[in-house]
Amino acid sequence: DWSTCSKPTVFWLSGFFFTQAFLTGAMQNYARKYHIPIDMLGFQFEVLTSDESEKAPEDGVYIHGLFLDGALEREKESVAPARTLYVCPLYKTSERKGTLSTTGHSTNFVITMTLPTSKPPQHWIKR
């Protein structure tokens, strides 16, 4: 409960009703902290092996509860340096469908994540 305790160190992204607003808020916090126009910012993603942390990151947020389409085998991938990037769609649920809400946003699709991979992007499509 955020009203009696401090904010969580890791957020359950799929639990938010309007996920895009949470992500925009995280970006606004960064923009205000460093006095950078928000339209000059973008997201950078890092996949971690744990969804728990004792403290929040200095900048940004830790999140869990993601449905990444085609990234199931990410942890099994070798530790070889990534040669390419895979543009991975992020969804609120495991279904790849949604409808447009009155705000013009999808009710399920959230954002695309750019993830490093040592395999060609086609490997992750339809997995």
Side-chain angles (χ1 to χ4, degrees), residues 36-49:
I36 300 170
I38 194 169
D39 58 349
M40 300 293 290
L41 299 177
F43 289 104
Q44 181 180 357
F45 304 97
E46 182 179 348
V47 178
L48 305 175
T49 57

Side-chain angles (χ1 to χ4, degrees), residues 41-93:
L41 299 177
F43 289 104
Q44 181 180 357
F45 304 97
E46 182 179 348
V47 178
L48 305 175
T49 57
S50 174
D51 63 355
E52 296 178 7
S53 178
E54 294 296 320
K55 67 179 218 173
E58 180 69 27
D59 292 317
V61 292
Y62 291 137
I63 56 175
H64 73 98
L66 305 179
F67 294 93
L68 301 173
D69 191 46
L72 180 63
E73 296 181 30
R74 173 86 178 123
E75 292 183 59
K76 298 177 188 174
E77 206 175 324
S78 68
V79 290
R83 295 184 309 267
T84 58
L85 296 173
Y86 169 56
V87 179
C88 181
L90 172 65
Y91 297 98
K92 292 180 191 177
T93 69

Side-chain angles (χ1 to χ4, degrees), residues 91-121:
Y91 297 98
K92 292 180 191 177
T93 69
S94 59
E95 293 183 359
R96 291 189 61 180
K97 61 182 180 179
T99 58
L100 286 180
S101 66
T102 56
T103 62
H105 290 89
S106 169
T107 57
N108 194 21
F109 175 77
V110 178
I111 195 171
T112 55
M113 297 177 67
T114 306
L115 301 174
T117 179
S118 59
K119 297 181 174 144

Side-chain angles (χ1 to χ4, degrees), residues 1-12 16 22:
D1 185 12
W2 297 6
S3 61
T4 58
C5 302
S6 62
K7 68 179 183 177
T9 56
V10 180
F11 295 90
W12 177 44
F16 289 111
F22 172 77

